[in-house]
Amino acid sequence: MSCILVTGGAGFIGANFVLDWLARPDADAVINVDKLTYAGNRHSLALLDGDPRHRFVQADIGDRAAMDDLLARYRPRAVVHFAAESHVDRSIHGPAAFVDTNIVGTFTLLEAVRACWQALPDAARADFRFLHVSTDEVFGSLSATDAPFGETTAYAPNSPYSASKAASDHLVRAWHHTYGLPVVTTNCSNNYGPYQFPEKLIPLMIARALAGESLPVYGDGQNVRDWLYVGDHCAAIRTVLAAGRIGETYNVGGWNEKTNIDVVHALCDSLDALLPRDDGTSYRAQIRYVKDRPGHDRRYAIDARKIERELGWRPAETFESGLRKTIAWYLDNQPWVRDVMSGAYRHWMGLQYAA
Ligand code: NAD
Ligand code: TYD
């Protein structure tokens, strides 16, 4: 049976991707390899329990023997690489894991994939793809008047997270140019949607609003991000996997720039309508401006014209429709949220937000 190998498929975007992929009746099987760090959650894949097209394997992408074994056993036609340490604030507290997984782990995976790919028969070698999922944060920070990031914008990463992702992008590029590995890379803006770990802005604010806790907005709240609903990102990845040109990179974004305070206000207003606070006042009363993140990038913005022009992809959701779906999902899935807010989660909240 034809299959693809997905790394990090128990995380936020990976799980959404695997669920979307297998929702199509003609989909290839998925071998889902994930280390299950604090950010990986088997419950996010519960809808696939008993589905013979999904095989979950707990392993580290930095474990060469495990990667060799998986690739030899399943001979995937493609690898979609999501696995990473992904949270900027955690990268400031502890950058080592970001170097280990995002750089050394990607290197180890590339070497295992290269060996497997080189041994394929000619036709399978030509059809093979390695799709590397990356971020717009590799391009650094924009001023209010700068043009959005294009595919040729120079890399200028500012955080340990973005520096480690930039390094991984360079490795992927080099494995194509030097060894001919058929790679494609996507650089996407901020995602939101179901199954996102509540350390990132939108699910963190939903969880804290419902718990009656403060809503911590860093600095002046005027930092800008381009927000994309995760289902749209998954569709973009499927499109690039199917038709992206080998060796190319594609910027993926939502055409949806918002300041952080506008995002938090929109969330509060939606919650006011859906689940009013007991005292009848707005969730906005819980907003607190807190100390800024060190080195906080001011603005990210994506020019996503290349993927639209070449591959016909555009986001389907507006911010309003995506946010409605997201809030509804979190309200309907409180057991999932409670489950991930484990002891380790509380430890992180204490470390990051105690003051
Ligand atoms: P996430 O933190 O929710 O999930 C990461 C997953 O990778 C987890 O399941 C974790 O267990 C797994 N993992 C971590 N280290 C591993 C290792 N050494 N071996 C195997 N598995 C490991 O992250 P996400 O938000 O789903 O992001 C997925 C990818 O998309 C990342 O590469 C990230 O850089 C990129 N990306 C994320 C966003 C965003 O807004 N979240 C935007 C653009 C790009
Ligand atoms: P985040 O979700 O961590 O994504 P990234 O830093 O990768 O863009 O944060 C999104 C924005 O929200 C970013 O500008 C930092 C800000 N932010 C807060 O103001 N408060 C918070 O508690 C968090 C987690 C983020």
Side-chain angles (χ1 to χ4, degrees), residues 7-15 33-41 59-62 67 81-87 97 100-102 105 132-137 161 165 186-192 195-197 199-200 227-228 233:
T7 72
F12 161 50
I13 307 174
V33 55
D34 196 297
K35 184 179 173 182
L36 294 180
T37 66
Y38 79 92
N41 190 345
D60 188 329
I61 55 163
M67 294 305 107
H81 178 34
F82 294 96
E85 290 291 337
S86 70
H87 189 35
D100 288 347
T101 284
N102 300 359
H132 178 56
V133 180
S134 193
T135 165
D136 61 356
E137 303 195 23
Y161 164 65
K165 289 297 291 186
T186 53
N187 292 92
C188 187
S189 61
N190 285 59
N191 283 213
Y192 65 101
Y195 301 110
Q196 188 168 29
F197 195 76
E199 65 185 355
K200 305 276 169 66
W227 293 96
L228 180 70
H233 188 190

Side-chain angles (χ1 to χ4, degrees), residues 87-88 137 190 199 201 204 216 218 225 260 293 296 353:
H87 189 35
V88 174
E137 303 195 23
N190 285 59
E199 65 185 355
L201 181 71
L204 178 97
Y218 298 162
R225 299 293 183 262
N260 291 338
R293 169 189 284 173
H296 195 175
Y353 297 105

Side-chain angles (χ1 to χ4, degrees), residues 4-5 24 34 62 95 104 138-139 172 221 223 245 299 319:
I4 63 168
L5 181 82
R24 296 167 314 139
D34 196 297
V104 183
V138 297
F139 299 118
V172 170
N223 301 68
R245 286 188 289 135
R299 172 175 167 242
F319 187 64

Side-chain angles (χ1 to χ4, degrees), residues 33-118:
V33 55
D34 196 297
K35 184 179 173 182
L36 294 180
T37 66
Y38 79 92
N41 190 345
R42 287 287 326 249
H43 296 311
S44 303
L45 301 159
L47 289 171
L48 298 174
D49 284 351
D51 188 330
R53 301 170 306 158
H54 180 240
R55 175 69 51 89
F56 184 81
V57 181
Q58 184 173 2
D60 188 329
I61 55 163
D63 179 342
R64 175 67 194 265
M67 294 305 107
D68 282 343
D69 180 55
L70 274 178
L71 291 161
R73 184 172 324 167
Y74 295 107
R75 299 266 159 209
R77 70 166 179 87
V79 173
V80 185
H81 178 34
F82 294 96
E85 290 291 337
S86 70
H87 189 35
V88 174
D89 291 323
R90 285 187 192 251
S91 82
I92 295 168
H93 284 278
F98 290 72
V99 172
D100 288 347
T101 284
N102 300 359
I103 307 178
V104 183
T106 298
F107 159 74
T108 306
L109 179 68
L110 281 167
E111 279 295 80
V113 170
R114 178 166 75 94
C116 167
W117 168 74
Q118 278 172 336

Side-chain angles (χ1 to χ4, degrees), residues 118-131:
Q118 278 172 336
L120 291 173
D122 285 352
R125 260 170 67 97
D127 288 346
F128 188 85
R129 292 291 181 277
F130 182 95
L131 191 152

